[in-house]
Amino acid sequence: MQVRPFHPDDAPSLADLYVRSVRGIGLRHYLPEQVAAWAGLGPSAERLCALMEDGRMRWLAVGEGGGPLAFADLEPDGHIHFLYTAPEAVGRGAAAAVYARLEQQAREMGIAKLHAEASEAARRFFLKQGFTVTARRDFEVAGVPIHNYAVEKVLG
Ligand SMILES: CC(C)(COP(=O)(O)OP(=O)(O)OC[C@H]1O[C@@H](n2cnc3c(N)ncnc32)[C@H](O)[C@@H]1OP(=O)(O)O)[C@@H](O)C(=O)NCCC(=O)NCCS
């Protein structure tokens, strides 16, 4: 497994990975209607490309064949918007590999705190990475109640 920067050509496969990740992993922790609403938030390849080219940093973990296993971003204020692993790669360290690069970059940039809104699966992942949960967030997506957690990590 390697970690490399995002390239615009990656956008279609990452847009697909997002939806497969939500549908494949989300059902472990959320109801089908919640997963459907969440998957509906998935950006098109064009939208994802535009987001990834807006100045944030972004990385992919890729397997031996070069296909993406996981991806994540880092906004200049320390916010992590995306952290998604392909369902066939879950539990193999893909997110951890991308996150390690992300945290290293944040430290090099002098970012004082990382923060994210974490799903149930991501909450467990972020706790492993030394984050703390600061709040549970209850909200609606397309009229469907759902929740996640505000998490943060102060970088020493
Ligand atoms: C959260 C997510 C990115 C984790 O990806 P992953 O590639 O499976 O994570 P890793 O294999 O790198 O796991 C790293 C560590 O976190 C732990 N971990 C990850 N997900 C976990 C979970 N759901 N429950 C418990 N522990 C978990 C692993 O056990 C591992 O621990 P270890 O270092 O002791 O072995 C993945 O579950 C995912 O894509 N979920 C669906 C989309 C999502 O929720 N994205 C976040 C949006 S806020």
Side-chain angles (χ1 to χ4, degrees):
M1 186 185 314
Q2 285 188 326
V3 176
R4 66 162 173 82
F6 169 86
H7 183 276
D9 290 348
D10 296 316
S13 56
L14 296 191
D16 177 64
L17 187 157
Y18 179 106
V19 173
R20 291 192 298 112
S21 176
V22 172
R23 290 192 179 138
I25 304 169
L27 278 175
R28 297 181 186 183
H29 304 283
Y30 293 94
L31 298 169
E33 57 268 32
Q34 293 175 315
V35 168
W38 181 6
L41 296 178
S44 66
E46 294 73 23
R47 174 74 182 138
L48 185 65
C49 197
L51 285 171
M52 292 300 207
E53 296 290 77
D54 73 356
R56 72 188 67 204
M57 285 142 288
R58 55 278 191 280
W59 301 269
L60 292 71
V62 296
E64 286 184 6
L69 304 178
F71 74 103
D73 68 339
L74 173 64
E75 295 171 333
D77 67 352
H79 184 244
I80 301 165
H81 184 91
F82 293 108
L83 177 68
Y84 288 86
T85 295
E88 65 274 14
V90 75
R92 286 167 35 196
V98 174
Y99 175 79
R101 178 69 66 87
L102 182 163
E103 183 176 314
Q104 177 192 4
Q105 178 79 52
R107 289 183 184 280
E108 288 171 8
M109 293 175 63
I111 291 175
K113 188 171 75 177
L114 297 174
H115 58 110
E117 296 78 41
S119 68
E120 286 287 352
R123 177 178 66 90
R124 292 165 166 82
F125 172 87
F126 281 121
L127 289 174
K128 279 267 180 184
Q129 305 299 334
F131 282 69
T132 56
V133 175
T134 58
R136 174 179 161 125
R137 303 172 67 250
D138 286 276
F139 55 100
E140 290 189 359
V141 177
V144 179
I146 194 166
H147 70 276
N148 62 21
Y149 300 89
V151 297
E152 66 178 37
K153 178 176 181 176
V154 175
L155 301 180

